[in-house]
Amino acid sequence: MPTIFDLFGFPISDRSNSVEVARKARQCPFMQAICDGGGNRYQTEIKLTPSEPLTHYFNPDITEVIPGVCSILGGQDIWVVCPRRLLAARFTGSGLPPINHSLQSYERDLLLHAGLPTGIDIGIWSEVTLKQRVADADINYHFDYVAAPLVEVSLGDMLHSQEFAALLSETEIQGLVELAKKNGLYSKGQRNPIDVPILLPNLEKPYILEVMTASTSGSDTENATDMRSAFRNALLSDQHASPGINKRQVWGRMVTQLFAKTALAHEWGGQTIWVIQDELLRNIELTTRLNTNTVAPNPSQNINLIEMHYNIGIDGSREMSFKRTINGDSGVDFSGYDTFTDILLPKIFPPKSELLKAILRRKLGAIVNL
């Protein structure tokens, strides 16, 4: 029967005082902020009412909690089910994020092997959504993270560069100024903000980072293996059972995005990097013809993977670590073949101005200097 392995960032077996203090405050050690369940577990939120057994576990000022389950142990395999366990570049405080805030050593390794430049400040924006309506095409892409070097330049100078010139109307430009204001890039009362140097992304070579984790299957409340019951029982008792792993759903969803998002970044002169746990990749290879060890590289049209795994220490402890990079031929021409494989590719490639709009809609989530 599957059980929870990591709970609020630490193995469930770790009941040390410091860990319990952090758990009772709902703290995620990877974000150094309140756990959000990975951003996709809000439907399992538990209201801490007087009749809820967990109410007396958490700090008195807490009124609700999202199950902070990071990974699940099934047999001998540990499956990551929260994307923050692999990459958590999300600063939730006010103002600009401190450089390398809460950057884990394995995250640093991940970003270095993804090819991000060293020795300069790099901005990372999370949950970036690019929407565009062109003729009969509805463009709607959601990127887990977009990373790019930071430059101090005025929005006016950036938008009048050759890369963006004539792509945006004056109304759109003013809209970008308002977005920058909303996300704290200007000081209050700033006059003529479009001419004031601020931190903006250099989109000469953007990086899209997609984090793929396993999802859980089933919601058996009768047998207490649903996420709420598993979370509750893991915190309050010595015995619990958790939901199992839904493997096929994850890689099926991944395939629908793999080629399109890779092609988009390629068109923009950048790269899409897929961050995946080795257990999930192994399952994909067991159930499809994919063999990453035999895929030949094609630098102009590669799929780029970063493989992560739980490293087993001498004492039996397990910690997340970088395993390897995998770069191999996507097998499709990003300009299209006029065959049914074209269903994998974007109808159109939005200009970088649309990417800049999408980024400025989001608060800067992290600044790293590798």
Coordinates of all heavy atoms in Angstrom, one line a residue, residues 264-318:
L264 N 8.3 26.4 -29.8 CA 8.2 27.8 -29.5 C 9.5 28.4 -29.0 O 9.9 29.5 -29.5 CB 7.1 28.0 -28.4 CG 5.7 28.0 -28.7 CD1 4.8 28.1 -27.5 CD2 5.3 29.2 -29.7
A265 N 10.1 27.8 -28.0 CA 11.4 28.3 -27.5 C 12.4 28.3 -28.6 O 13.3 29.3 -28.7 CB 11.9 27.5 -26.4
H266 N 12.5 27.3 -29.5 CA 13.4 27.3 -30.6 C 13.2 28.5 -31.5 O 14.1 29.1 -32.0 CB 13.2 26.0 -31.4 CG 14.1 25.8 -32.6 ND1 13.7 26.2 -33.9 CD2 15.4 25.4 -32.7 CE1 14.6 26.0 -34.7 NE2 15.7 25.5 -34.1
E267 N 11.9 28.8 -31.8 CA 11.6 29.9 -32.7 C 12.0 31.3 -32.1 O 12.5 32.2 -32.8 CB 10.1 30.0 -32.9 CG 9.6 31.1 -33.8 CD 10.0 31.0 -35.2 OE1 10.4 29.9 -35.7 OE2 9.9 32.1 -35.9
W268 N 12.0 31.3 -30.7 CA 12.4 32.6 -30.0 C 13.9 32.6 -29.8 O 14.4 33.5 -29.1 CB 11.7 32.7 -28.7 CG 10.2 32.9 -28.8 CD1 9.6 33.7 -29.8 CD2 9.2 32.5 -27.9 NE1 8.2 33.7 -29.6 CE2 8.0 33.0 -28.4 CE3 9.2 31.7 -26.8 CZ2 6.7 32.7 -27.8 CZ3 8.0 31.5 -26.1 CH2 6.8 32.0 -26.7
G269 N 14.7 31.6 -30.3 CA 16.1 31.6 -30.1 C 16.5 31.1 -28.8 O 17.7 31.2 -28.4
G270 N 15.6 30.4 -28.0 CA 15.9 29.9 -26.7 C 15.8 28.4 -26.6 O 15.9 27.7 -27.6
Q271 N 15.5 27.9 -25.4 CA 15.4 26.5 -25.2 C 14.2 26.2 -24.2 O 14.0 27.0 -23.3 CB 16.6 25.9 -24.6 CG 17.8 25.6 -25.6 CD 18.9 24.9 -24.9 OE1 19.2 25.1 -23.8 NE2 19.5 23.9 -25.6
T272 N 13.6 25.1 -24.4 CA 12.7 24.5 -23.4 C 13.4 23.3 -22.8 O 13.9 22.5 -23.4 CB 11.3 24.1 -24.0 OG1 10.7 25.2 -24.6 CG2 10.4 23.5 -22.9
I273 N 13.4 23.3 -21.4 CA 14.0 22.3 -20.7 C 12.9 21.6 -19.8 O 12.2 22.2 -19.1 CB 15.1 22.8 -19.8 CG1 16.3 23.4 -20.6 CG2 15.7 21.7 -18.9 CD1 16.2 24.8 -20.8
W274 N 12.8 20.3 -20.0 CA 11.9 19.5 -19.3 C 12.5 18.8 -18.1 O 13.5 18.0 -18.2 CB 11.2 18.4 -20.2 CG 10.5 19.1 -21.3 CD1 11.1 19.5 -22.5 CD2 9.1 19.4 -21.4 NE1 10.1 20.1 -23.3 CE2 8.9 20.0 -22.6 CE3 8.1 19.2 -20.5 CZ2 7.7 20.5 -23.0 CZ3 6.8 19.6 -20.9 CH2 6.6 20.3 -22.2
V275 N 12.1 19.2 -16.9 CA 12.6 18.6 -15.6 C 11.7 17.4 -15.2 O 10.5 17.6 -15.0 CB 12.6 19.7 -14.5 CG1 13.3 19.1 -13.2 CG2 13.4 20.9 -15.0
I276 N 12.3 16.3 -15.1 CA 11.5 15.1 -14.8 C 12.3 14.2 -13.9 O 13.5 14.1 -13.9 CB 11.2 14.4 -16.2 CG1 10.3 13.2 -16.0 CG2 12.5 13.9 -16.8 CD1 9.7 12.6 -17.3
Q277 N 11.5 13.5 -13.0 CA 12.1 12.5 -12.1 C 12.4 11.2 -12.8 O 11.7 10.8 -13.7 CB 11.2 12.2 -10.9 CG 11.8 11.4 -9.8 CD 10.8 10.8 -8.8 OE1 9.6 11.0 -9.0 NE2 11.3 10.1 -7.9
D278 N 13.5 10.6 -12.4 CA 13.9 9.3 -13.1 C 12.8 8.2 -13.1 O 12.7 7.5 -14.0 CB 15.3 8.8 -12.6 CG 15.3 8.6 -11.1 OD1 14.3 8.9 -10.4 OD2 16.3 8.1 -10.6
E279 N 12.1 8.1 -12.0 CA 11.1 7.1 -11.9 C 10.0 7.3 -12.9 O 9.5 6.3 -13.6 CB 10.4 7.2 -10.5 CG 11.3 6.8 -9.3 CD 11.7 5.3 -9.4 OE1 11.1 4.5 -10.2 OE2 12.6 4.9 -8.6
L280 N 9.6 8.6 -13.2 CA 8.6 8.8 -14.2 C 9.1 8.6 -15.6 O 8.4 8.0 -16.4 CB 8.1 10.3 -14.1 CG 7.0 10.7 -15.1 CD1 5.8 9.8 -15.0 CD2 6.7 12.2 -14.8
L281 N 10.4 9.0 -15.8 CA 11.0 8.7 -17.2 C 11.1 7.2 -17.4 O 10.9 6.7 -18.5 CB 12.3 9.4 -17.3 CG 13.0 9.3 -18.6 CD1 12.2 9.8 -19.8 CD2 14.4 10.0 -18.6
R282 N 11.5 6.5 -16.4 CA 11.6 5.0 -16.5 C 10.3 4.4 -16.9 O 10.3 3.5 -17.7 CB 12.2 4.4 -15.2 CG 12.4 2.9 -15.2 CD 13.1 2.5 -14.0 NE 12.3 2.6 -12.8 CZ 11.5 1.7 -12.3 NH1 11.4 0.5 -12.9 NH2 10.8 1.9 -11.2
N283 N 9.2 4.9 -16.3 CA 7.9 4.3 -16.6 C 7.5 4.6 -18.0 O 6.9 3.8 -18.7 CB 6.9 4.9 -15.6 CG 5.5 4.3 -15.9 OD1 4.7 5.0 -16.5 ND2 5.2 3.1 -15.5
I284 N 7.8 5.8 -18.5 CA 7.5 6.2 -19.9 C 8.3 5.3 -20.8 O 7.7 4.8 -21.8 CB 7.9 7.7 -20.1 CG1 7.0 8.6 -19.3 CG2 7.8 8.0 -21.6 CD1 7.4 10.1 -19.4
E285 N 9.5 5.0 -20.5 CA 10.3 4.1 -21.4 C 9.8 2.7 -21.3 O 9.9 1.9 -22.3 CB 11.8 4.2 -21.0 CG 12.4 5.6 -21.3 CD 13.9 5.6 -21.3 OE1 14.4 5.3 -20.2 OE2 14.5 6.0 -22.3
L286 N 9.3 2.3 -20.2 CA 8.7 0.9 -20.0 C 7.4 0.7 -20.8 O 7.1 -0.4 -21.2 CB 8.5 0.5 -18.6 CG 9.8 0.3 -17.7 CD1 9.4 0.1 -16.3 CD2 10.5 -1.0 -18.2
T287 N 6.7 1.8 -21.0 CA 5.4 1.6 -21.6 C 5.3 2.2 -23.1 O 4.2 2.2 -23.7 CB 4.3 2.3 -20.8 OG1 4.7 3.7 -20.5 CG2 4.2 1.6 -19.4
T288 N 6.4 2.7 -23.6 CA 6.5 3.2 -25.0 C 7.8 2.7 -25.6 O 8.6 2.1 -25.0 CB 6.4 4.8 -25.0 OG1 7.7 5.3 -24.5 CG2 5.3 5.3 -24.2
R289 N 7.9 3.1 -26.9 CA 9.2 2.7 -27.6 C 10.3 3.6 -27.3 O 11.4 3.4 -27.8 CB 8.9 2.6 -29.1 CG 8.1 1.4 -29.5 CD 8.2 1.2 -31.0 NE 9.5 0.9 -31.4 CZ 9.9 0.7 -32.7 NH1 9.1 0.9 -33.7 NH2 11.2 0.5 -32.9
L290 N 10.1 4.6 -26.5 CA 11.2 5.6 -26.3 C 12.3 4.9 -25.5 O 12.1 4.2 -24.5 CB 10.7 6.8 -25.4 CG 11.7 7.8 -25.0 CD1 12.3 8.5 -26.2 CD2 11.1 8.8 -24.0
N291 N 13.6 5.2 -26.0 CA 14.8 4.8 -25.3 C 15.7 5.9 -25.3 O 16.4 6.2 -26.4 CB 15.4 3.5 -25.9 CG 16.6 3.0 -25.1 OD1 17.2 3.7 -24.3 ND2 17.0 1.8 -25.4
T292 N 15.8 6.7 -24.3 CA 16.6 7.9 -24.3 C 18.1 7.6 -24.5 O 18.9 8.5 -24.9 CB 16.4 8.7 -23.0 OG1 16.7 7.9 -21.9 CG2 15.0 9.2 -22.9
N293 N 18.5 6.4 -24.2 CA 20.0 6.1 -24.4 C 20.3 5.9 -25.9 O 21.5 5.9 -26.2 CB 20.3 4.8 -23.6 CG 20.3 5.0 -22.1 OD1 20.7 6.0 -21.6 ND2 19.7 4.0 -21.4
T294 N 19.4 5.7 -26.7 CA 19.7 5.5 -28.1 C 19.2 6.7 -29.1 O 19.5 6.6 -30.3 CB 19.0 4.2 -28.6 OG1 17.6 4.3 -28.5 CG2 19.5 3.0 -27.8
V295 N 18.6 7.7 -28.5 CA 18.2 8.8 -29.3 C 19.4 9.7 -29.7 O 20.1 10.2 -28.8 CB 17.2 9.7 -28.6 CG1 16.8 10.9 -29.4 CG2 15.9 8.9 -28.3
A296 N 19.6 9.9 -31.0 CA 20.8 10.7 -31.4 C 20.5 12.2 -31.2 O 19.4 12.6 -31.4 CB 21.1 10.4 -32.9
P297 N 21.5 13.0 -30.9 CA 21.3 14.4 -30.7 C 21.1 15.1 -32.0 O 21.6 14.7 -33.1 CB 22.6 14.9 -30.0 CG 23.6 13.9 -30.4 CD 22.9 12.6 -30.6
N298 N 20.4 16.2 -32.0 CA 20.2 17.1 -33.1 C 20.1 18.5 -32.6 O 19.0 19.0 -32.3 CB 18.9 16.7 -33.9 CG 18.7 17.6 -35.1 OD1 19.5 18.6 -35.4 ND2 17.7 17.3 -35.9
P299 N 21.3 19.2 -32.4 CA 21.3 20.5 -31.7 C 20.3 21.5 -32.2 O 19.8 22.3 -31.4 CB 22.7 21.0 -32.0 CG 23.5 19.7 -32.2 CD 22.6 18.8 -32.9
S300 N 19.9 21.4 -33.5 CA 18.9 22.4 -34.0 C 17.5 22.1 -33.6 O 16.7 23.0 -33.6 CB 19.1 22.5 -35.5 OG 18.7 21.3 -36.1
Q301 N 17.2 20.8 -33.3 CA 15.8 20.5 -33.0 C 15.7 19.4 -31.9 O 15.0 18.4 -32.0 CB 15.1 20.0 -34.3 CG 15.0 21.1 -35.3 CD 14.1 20.8 -36.4 OE1 13.0 21.4 -36.5 NE2 14.5 20.0 -37.4
N302 N 16.5 19.6 -30.8 CA 16.5 18.7 -29.7 C 15.3 18.8 -28.8 O 14.8 19.9 -28.6 CB 17.8 18.9 -28.9 CG 19.0 18.0 -29.3 OD1 18.8 17.1 -30.1 ND2 20.2 18.4 -28.9
I303 N 15.0 17.7 -28.1 CA 14.2 17.7 -26.9 C 15.2 17.7 -25.8 O 16.2 16.9 -25.8 CB 13.3 16.5 -26.8 CG1 12.2 16.5 -27.9 CG2 12.6 16.5 -25.4 CD1 11.2 17.6 -27.8
N304 N 15.1 18.6 -24.8 CA 16.1 18.7 -23.7 C 15.4 18.3 -22.4 O 14.5 18.9 -21.9 CB 16.6 20.1 -23.6 CG 17.1 20.6 -24.9 OD1 18.2 20.1 -25.4 ND2 16.4 21.5 -25.6
L305 N 16.0 17.3 -21.7 CA 15.5 16.8 -20.4 C 16.6 17.0 -19.4 O 17.7 16.8 -19.6 CB 15.1 15.3 -20.5 CG 14.1 14.8 -21.5 CD1 13.9 13.3 -21.3 CD2 12.8 15.6 -21.4
I306 N 16.1 17.3 -18.2 CA 16.9 17.2 -17.0 C 16.3 16.2 -16.1 O 15.2 16.3 -15.7 CB 17.0 18.6 -16.2 CG1 17.6 19.7 -17.1 CG2 17.7 18.4 -14.9 CD1 19.1 19.6 -17.2
E307 N 17.1 15.1 -15.8 CA 16.6 14.0 -15.0 C 17.1 14.2 -13.5 O 18.3 14.3 -13.3 CB 17.1 12.7 -15.6 CG 16.4 11.5 -15.0 CD 16.9 10.2 -15.7 OE1 17.9 10.2 -16.5 OE2 16.3 9.1 -15.4
M308 N 16.1 14.1 -12.6 CA 16.4 14.2 -11.2 C 16.1 12.9 -10.5 O 15.2 12.1 -10.9 CB 15.6 15.3 -10.6 CG 15.7 16.7 -11.3 SD 17.4 17.4 -11.2 CE 17.4 17.9 -9.5
H309 N 16.7 12.7 -9.3 CA 16.4 11.4 -8.6 C 16.7 11.6 -7.1 O 17.4 12.6 -6.7 CB 17.2 10.2 -9.1 CG 18.6 10.2 -8.8 ND1 19.2 9.0 -8.3 CD2 19.6 11.1 -8.7 CE1 20.5 9.3 -8.1 NE2 20.7 10.5 -8.3
Y310 N 16.1 10.7 -6.3 CA 16.4 10.7 -4.9 C 17.7 9.9 -4.7 O 17.8 8.7 -5.0 CB 15.3 10.0 -4.1 CG 14.2 10.9 -3.7 CD1 13.0 11.0 -4.4 CD2 14.3 11.7 -2.6 CE1 11.9 11.8 -4.0 CE2 13.3 12.6 -2.2 CZ 12.1 12.6 -2.9 OH 11.1 13.4 -2.5
N311 N 18.7 10.6 -4.2 CA 20.0 9.9 -3.9 C 19.9 9.3 -2.5 O 19.5 9.9 -1.6 CB 21.1 10.9 -4.0 CG 22.5 10.3 -3.9 OD1 22.8 9.3 -4.6 ND2 23.3 10.9 -3.0
I312 N 20.4 8.0 -2.4 CA 20.4 7.3 -1.2 C 21.7 7.5 -0.5 O 22.8 7.1 -1.0 CB 20.1 5.8 -1.4 CG1 18.8 5.6 -2.1 CG2 20.0 5.1 0.0 CD1 18.4 4.2 -2.4
G313 N 21.7 8.1 0.7 CA 22.9 8.3 1.5 C 23.4 7.0 2.2 O 22.7 6.0 2.2
I314 N 24.6 7.1 2.7 CA 25.2 6.0 3.5 C 24.3 5.5 4.6 O 24.2 4.3 4.9 CB 26.6 6.3 4.0 CG1 27.5 6.6 2.8 CG2 27.2 5.2 4.8 CD1 28.9 7.1 3.2
D315 N 23.7 6.5 5.2 CA 22.8 6.2 6.4 C 21.4 5.8 6.0 O 20.5 5.6 6.8 CB 22.7 7.4 7.3 CG 22.2 8.7 6.6 OD1 22.0 8.6 5.4 OD2 22.0 9.7 7.3
G316 N 21.2 5.7 4.7 CA 19.8 5.3 4.2 C 18.9 6.5 3.9 O 17.8 6.3 3.4
S317 N 19.3 7.7 4.2 CA 18.5 8.9 3.9 C 18.5 9.1 2.4 O 19.3 8.7 1.7 CB 19.1 10.1 4.7 OG 20.4 10.4 4.2
R318 N 17.4 9.8 2.0 CA 17.3 10.1 0.6 C 17.1 11.6 0.4 O 16.3 12.2 1.1 CB 16.0 9.4 0.0 CG 16.1 7.8 0.3 CD 15.2 7.1 -0.7 NE 15.1 5.7 -0.3 CZ 14.6 4.8 -1.1 NH1 14.2 5.1 -2.3 NH2 14.5 3.5 -0.7

